[in-house]
Amino acid sequence: MSRHASEHVVGLHGAGGEVMGELIRELVLPRFRVRAAGPVGLDALDDGAVLTPPPGELVITTDSHVVKPLFFPGGDIGRLAACGAVNDLAVMGARPWVCTLALVLEEGFPLRDLRTIVNSCAEVLSELGVALVAGDTKVMGRGEVDGLVINTTGLGVAARVVTDSGLRSGDRIVVTGPVGDHGMALMAARAELKLEGGLASDVAPVWSLVARALAVGGITAMKDPTRGGLAAALNEMARKAGVGIEIEGAAVPVRSDVRGLAELLGIDPWQVACEGRVVLGVHPDTVQGVVEALRADPQGLDAVVIGVVTDAYAGRVIVDTGVGGRRFLDMPLGDPVPRIC
Ligand code: MG
């Protein structure tokens, strides 16, 4: 009889012995690309992986994911953990290359849910050709962790790194799609709100979008508007570059159901996290080409110019309200929606 017969995570699953080995051989190895990144891959189950990086700049990022609930409209923590890693690489201009996966599980967690979650993670990585090169499994007692925490570390390779501090006066600000979907979908799921039209997270890998934009050229800065949403991303980009950003309020795409729920809850949708969008600074000469290239991607159909970079109001973001008013867009104090990633 399989030691998984209980179909729930037990302490031994994190104990480094046979039971854990069985779990890894069943759950991880067949689902991920575990070779191809160097002489010693995850399939060797050695103490570490040995990697041979392709030419270019090596970019690394890490994130721990504590999203609640673990399953939400549009995705789950596995998809989110994979996208969290690869998207931070992408917005640095790096093609995602390899990834690690560390699971911290609560004893009693259903193995069926774990399989689904790990599969979601594998799906994103294999879509991008990203190899899984290292992993870890730990189990904590009941009540010591809320179900499951996932840490991912990603490495990517960039021909030319794009930072979030490169904006220059005259650049246009582009966003690749509607903002606030992820955070509002989670809010709706938590409140068990049944919404018409099916509000869903935008969680998705953005590398294909980024690659299209980079191929056109003139990209001066990039950022993924995750925690703190568009408002935080714009403020950070303005501060770091010491420039002002003027946003045309009416141009910022927000889905009507996101707007509706945000109003109901008293939340600014511009402060709500996205997990599949990119904010770009683009040179005016190439901006039209970049927007067209983004719109040629199914994920970038609503890509649009929302503003311009100026010398005035250095470090600040100004919104033209469209009714003759102008206001500062402040840096959010924190995320209005906790545990969204
Ligand atoms: Mg980021």
Side-chain angles (χ1 to χ4, degrees), residues 88 91 223-224 226:
D88 271 337
V91 294
K223 197 153 192 66
D224 53 341
T226 53

Side-chain angles (χ1 to χ4, degrees), residues 7-321:
E7 287 302 305
H8 288 87
V9 169
V10 296
L12 282 174
H13 282 126
E18 259 317 301
V19 177
M20 191 180 97
E22 194 182 312
L23 183 74
I24 290 168
R25 274 189 295 275
E26 183 224 309
L27 202 71
V28 177
L29 297 187
R31 290 171 167 78
F32 291 86
R33 189 174 159 194
V34 289
R35 280 169 225 168
V40 182
L42 182 59
D43 54 321
L45 296 177
D46 207 327
D47 300 302
V50 182
L51 309 175
T52 311
E57 305 281 354
L58 207 52
V59 180
I60 185 166
T61 183
T62 193
D63 256 305
S64 294
H65 301 270
V66 297
V67 65
K68 188 184 181 123
L70 297 173
F71 295 88
F72 48 84
D76 61 38
I77 188 173
R79 182 172 173 81
L80 186 71
C83 291
V86 297
N87 287 351
D88 271 337
L89 298 173
V91 294
M92 296 292 294
R95 174 188 290 277
W97 175 48
V98 300
C99 192
T100 70
L101 174 67
L103 306 168
V104 181
L105 289 149
E106 182 181 10
E107 198 180 337
F109 192 78
L111 282 175
R112 210 178 66 164
D113 287 352
L114 183 60
R115 282 189 197 100
T116 307
I117 286 165
V118 170
N119 276 341
S120 303
C121 179
E123 217 174 81
V124 172
L125 298 188
S126 61
E127 185 186 318
L128 294 164
V130 170
L132 189 70
V133 293
D136 180 48
T137 310
K138 293 279 156 50
V139 176
M140 296 183 75
R142 283 176 196 271
E144 291 176 358
V145 60
D146 190 4
L148 170 64
V149 174
I150 301 185
N151 175 276
T152 45
T153 297
L155 273 91
V157 179
R160 189 179 72 83
V161 166
V162 180
T163 65
D164 59 7
S165 61
L167 289 180
R168 292 169 307 198
S169 182
D171 286 350
R172 302 300 191 263
I173 301 294
V174 172
V175 66
T176 59
V179 299
D181 293 13
H182 177 72
M184 291 323 293
L186 280 179
M187 283 301 282
R190 278 182 211 165
E192 290 177 18
L193 291 173
K194 300 277 176 284
L195 294 168
E196 283 177 50
L199 188 56
S201 167
D202 58 333
V203 60
V206 298
W207 170 248
S208 73
L209 278 174
V210 168
R212 283 172 191 272
L214 292 176
V216 176
I219 310 301
T220 56
M222 276 194 285
K223 197 153 192 66
D224 53 341
T226 53
R227 269 180 296 185
L230 179 70
L234 292 173
N235 271 287
E236 217 173 314
M237 291 168 97
R239 279 184 197 175
K240 285 190 176 174
V243 295
I245 297 178
E246 278 181 35
I247 296 294
E248 194 189 322
V252 175
V254 180
R255 291 189 202 284
S256 59
D257 43 6
V258 167
R259 193 184 299 280
L261 182 58
E263 255 167 44
L264 195 71
L265 298 172
I267 294 173
D268 177 358
W270 292 16
Q271 293 190 7
V272 175
C274 311
E275 291 290 343
R277 307 284 179 240
V278 185
V279 179
L280 304 99
V282 187
H283 191 278
D285 290 349
T286 58
V287 71
Q288 198 187 334
V290 166
V291 170
E292 279 167 17
L294 290 170
R295 286 181 181 167
D297 190 293
Q299 259 176 270
L301 299 174
D302 299 315
V304 65
V305 175
I306 58 167
V308 64
V309 179
T310 68
D311 287 322
Y313 304 107
R316 301 296 306 266
V317 182
I318 311 273
V319 182
D320 188 328
T321 58

